[in-house]
Amino acid sequence: MNHATRIVCLVALLGPLGCNSALITSEVDPAADAKRAMALGDRHLVGYMGFGLVVPGTPQGFQYWTYAPGVQVVSHVTDTSQSAEIEKAADYAIRYNRVILCK
């Protein structure tokens, strides 16, 4: 599975959780995905399970467990995933979460 396919799968997993996966194109754009989610009233952050929950793109000291909308966990990326997959998920989450937190 290539990078673009994995990211599309990652974003498609978010669809049932509040993001509109029907609007996702083959070009992955985390900022656009976040803006679409916010337009639908979804302000969840995106994270993945490392040794614990990892929520990239949040400020230092950010307490995600107190963030009222919550965090959507990408289920196929964990601390046992290949480092390239973790980096891709982290890059997507950073760009997505910064849009959500800046609005």
Side-chain angles (χ1 to χ4, degrees):
M1 192 180 299
N2 66 30
H3 170 66
T5 303
R6 287 182 182 154
I7 296 297
V8 169
C9 289
L10 176 142
V11 176
L13 287 173
L14 297 176
L17 301 172
C19 294
N20 189 349
S21 60
L23 298 175
I24 297 169
T25 65
S26 61
E27 292 295 318
V28 176
D29 184 353
D33 293 343
K35 289 175 185 174
R36 278 192 292 271
M38 287 190 319
L40 296 170
D42 182 358
R43 295 188 54 89
H44 286 93
L45 297 176
V46 174
Y48 61 91
M49 291 305 297
F51 202 63
L53 181 59
V54 179
V55 187
T58 57
Q60 186 174 3
F62 182 80
Q63 297 177 345
Y64 63 83
W65 55 89
T66 64
Y67 182 71
V71 177
Q72 298 297 334
V73 176
V74 181
S75 62
H76 71 280
V77 177
T78 68
D79 60 330
T80 60
S81 297
Q82 295 180 7
S83 61
E85 289 181 38
I86 294 170
E87 288 174 20
K88 290 171 190 173
D91 179 59
Y92 182 90
I94 288 168
R95 294 166 54 202
Y96 186 98
N97 291 342
R98 286 187 177 156
V99 171
I100 297 291
L101 292 173
C102 289
K103 299 293 177 180

